[in-house]
Amino acid sequence: GAGVSQSPSNKVTEKGKDVELRCDPISGHTALYWYRQSLGQGLEFLIYFQGNSAPDKSGLPSDRFSAERTGGSVSTLTIQRTQQEDSAVYLCASSLALGSSGYTFGSGTRLTVV
Amino acid sequence: AQTVTQSQPEMSVQEAETVTLSCTYDTSESDYYLFWYKQPPSRQMILVIRQEAYKQQNATENRFSVNFQKAAKSFSLKISDSQLGDAAMYFCAYRRDNNDMRFGAGTRLTVKP
């Protein structure tokens, strides 16, 4: 596609439920990233996929968070047993592997846990 | 670990005036890349400008320019002739090779008419 697409744009869920957030990167971008942005805060790195390499999961805050990337394209971020502190905007970005490449971001998913 | 610091949580500028947003970073690397991103209320992150560390010349994109001081590890963004549409959160970011990008905490810029 022309840009990075994220869905849903907004999600309200009850505490304890599982949620899945989807990211469709730009075609041809080998790298895909997930960030979390709490209200008025900066971007917190969650996970990074690069080609066929094992993902860098070092930013995942707990084992309730997981992500996968199928076929080197679409990625799904799953949060199990959601907690109120999980409420945030989840941003996905993709890029070429080159360090000089900036990221192209999606518009994010605003997750609210009630 | 690389860290990026933006010491100004909020800045304000009068329309048509110039404003400078500060950013410092910490790294032991010599080759890396620096970026400024803009995030308006729509929350879409938009790349404003980028700088390669091996280049001495400061990057410029229309009204946006940077002052890159490699020895001081400083990377400030200057916005000239500020416009109402420049109001947003601005994030400074660092990236090395094909690693993930690290962001500062952001500076909220207000433009007064």
Side-chain angles (χ1 to χ4, degrees):
Chain A
V4 177
S5 178
Q6 288 188 248
S7 61
S9 57
N10 289 283
K11 175 72 175 178
V12 179
T13 190
E14 292 181 353
K15 178 181 174 181
K17 294 286 181 69
D18 297 352
V19 295
E20 287 188 350
L21 312 180
R22 176 188 169 102
C23 174
D24 196 348
I26 290 176
S27 178
H29 279 189
T30 56
L32 186 148
Y33 313 82
W34 284 98
Y35 287 84
R36 178 168 70 175
Q37 185 177 29
S38 299
L39 185 62
Q41 302 298 309
L43 278 69
E44 174 189 6
F45 168 73
L46 295 177
I47 189 169
Y48 160 42
F49 296 89
Q50 173 55 52
N52 296 320
S53 302
D56 177 355
K57 303 180 181 180
S58 60
L60 294 178
S62 78
D63 58 8
R64 296 186 295 105
F65 288 72
S66 63
E68 63 177 18
R69 188 180 185 190
T70 55
S73 181
V74 172
S75 176
T76 301
L77 176 68
T78 301
I79 309 173
Q80 295 178 311
R81 306 181 301 282
T82 51
Q83 304 295 313
Q84 288 186 331
E85 60 263 29
D86 299 335
S87 296
V89 173
Y90 290 81
L91 290 167
C92 174
S94 70
S95 79
L96 298 171
L98 298 173
S100 61
S101 299
Y103 290 3
T104 301
F105 281 86
S107 297
T109 294
R110 181 179 297 281
L111 175 66
T112 303
V113 182
V114 297
Chain B
Q2 295 84 18
T3 58
V4 180
T5 302
Q6 293 180 249
S7 59
Q8 306 154 317
E10 296 184 355
M11 289 286 284
S12 178
V13 64
Q14 204 71 34
E15 193 176 6
E17 298 292 307
T18 296
V19 64
T20 299
L21 308 184
S22 300
C23 173
T24 59
Y25 56 95
D26 180 28
T27 184
S28 58
E29 304 295 330
S30 58
D31 292 328
Y32 49 87
Y33 306 89
L34 298 165
F35 306 84
W36 278 97
Y37 279 87
K38 169 185 178 181
Q39 187 182 40
S42 68
R43 76 178 186 234
Q44 179 77 53
M45 294 278 282
I46 302 165
L47 177 63
V48 175
I49 198 166
R50 81 183 76 194
Q51 174 80 42
E52 292 88 346
Y54 63 83
K55 290 186 177 179
Q56 292 186 340
Q57 186 174 7
N58 289 323
T60 299
E61 290 287 342
N62 300 313
R63 298 183 295 106
F64 299 87
S65 61
V66 299
N67 182 4
F68 174 48
Q69 301 290 327
K70 190 172 184 179
K73 298 178 183 176
S74 171
F75 182 60
S76 60
L77 174 70
K78 185 171 81 171
I79 306 174
S80 303
D81 185 26
S82 297
Q83 301 176 0
L84 295 178
D86 295 334
M89 283 288 286
Y90 285 82
F91 293 96
C92 177
Y94 166 103
R95 187 182 190 190
R96 178 177 66 84
D97 295 332
N98 61 350
N99 292 322
D100 62 284
M101 198 175 290
R102 300 294 165 143
F103 291 83
T107 296
R108 182 176 301 281
L109 177 66
T110 302
V111 181
K112 297 180 179 179

